[in-house]
Amino acid sequence: MKLSKLFMMLICLSLICIASIPVVSAADSADSKIRVVQATAEQVEKINQLWGSDITIGDYMERVHPEQLVGVSDEVIKEMHQRKMHWPDENKMPAEQAQPDSILATLTVDGDLTIYSNRINFGSYASCSQSASYIYVESFLKNTADSTVGSTSGSTSGSYVSCSNNVAWPPTGYYHVHSWGYTITPSTEGSDHSASKYFSG
């Protein structure tokens, strides 16, 4: 009996350790690499520290998600540093800033969450009406205090990218998803705020 309890504890500890490792996957297709990242606790903390600050997209990517920039051209990174970071809850953003360089391309960004008995699954996608040299989406799982408790992001070239993640056993309460995405060449930007759902624990 004691051995089986010890074995179960070791399995649980192993799963917790695995969950704390940042997950980065890259799938090669004919012309693009898809990067999907599940943020670590340290990255989530950086997101909360930076949220609402006056920085560029490039600053944010380098400070929080440098792994999303591996293999990205210098031209794309240069444009990231020329674009102001519009946080997903900034409803004051003028429409012309949401699409800085293109009136032809539009970006649709959406996200949602699903409640399970022991976890919350959440994710987002970005879909552009034109193929882009770089398309990015990030999904922020937020609690009632509007603090990020989980994040996942995806990037590639093309017109579509998505990402998803799980947060196991979060505190009881209401949660929602902020989704944010942008493209470069053409340059578009968009965000979405999902409805809140209750996790009973």
Side-chain angles (χ1 to χ4, degrees), residues 179-194:
S179 306
W180 171 65
Y182 65 93
T183 63
I184 291 179
T185 316
S187 296
T188 64
E189 194 169 339
S191 63
D192 178 68
H193 188 148
S194 79

Side-chain angles (χ1 to χ4, degrees), residues 5-200:
K5 282 186 178 179
L6 180 61
F7 182 69
M8 288 303 293
M9 276 181 50
L10 288 172
I11 289 175
C12 289
L13 285 172
S14 298
L15 290 172
I16 290 168
C17 290
I18 290 169
S20 67
I21 298 170
V23 178
V24 180
S25 66
D28 286 315
S29 65
D31 59 348
S32 64
K33 181 179 279 188
I34 301 168
R35 302 169 197 84
V36 178
V37 177
Q38 277 88 39
T40 64
E42 291 78 15
Q43 287 171 308
V44 169
E45 186 178 346
K46 283 182 186 176
I47 290 167
N48 285 319
Q49 288 170 355
L50 290 171
W51 197 272
S53 61
D54 185 12
I55 59 174
T56 67
I57 289 174
D59 293 335
Y60 174 78
M61 298 296 288
E62 287 182 351
R63 292 188 204 181
V64 181
H65 296 299
E67 62 273 55
Q68 287 285 10
L69 301 177
V70 175
V72 176
S73 72
D74 291 341
E75 293 79 16
V76 168
I77 293 173
K78 181 180 177 182
E79 184 171 333
M80 289 178 187
H81 282 287
Q82 293 170 347
R83 301 247 308 265
K84 179 176 163 50
M85 177 77 180
H86 293 116
W87 299 93
D89 59 346
E90 289 188 75
N91 297 320
K92 300 171 188 172
M93 182 174 60
E96 62 268 17
Q97 285 188 334
Q99 301 182 118
D101 298 332
S102 174
I103 58 170
L104 300 175
T106 57
L107 186 68
T108 301
V109 178
D110 196 15
D112 204 0
L113 65 156
T114 304
I115 302 291
Y116 295 95
S117 60
N118 62 344
R119 71 189 192 280
I120 298 175
N121 177 264
F122 65 101
S124 302
Y125 74 85
S127 178
C128 188
S129 60
Q130 294 182 16
S131 183
S133 60
Y134 186 85
I135 183 170
Y136 177 86
V137 70
E138 186 158 1
S139 192
F140 306 93
L141 181 65
K142 298 277 193 170
N143 60 20
T144 49
D146 211 35
S147 180
T148 301
V149 297
S151 173
T152 179
S153 59
S155 68
T156 189
S157 60
S159 58
Y160 181 86
V161 67
S162 64
C163 58
S164 64
N165 197 3
N166 288 283
V167 171
W169 297 112
T172 300
Y174 283 95
Y175 292 86
H176 59 277
V177 172
H178 278 174
S179 306
W180 171 65
Y182 65 93
T183 63
I184 291 179
T185 316
S187 296
T188 64
E189 194 169 339
S191 63
D192 178 68
H193 188 148
S194 79
S196 293
K197 297 181 183 178
Y198 187 74
F199 178 77
S200 59

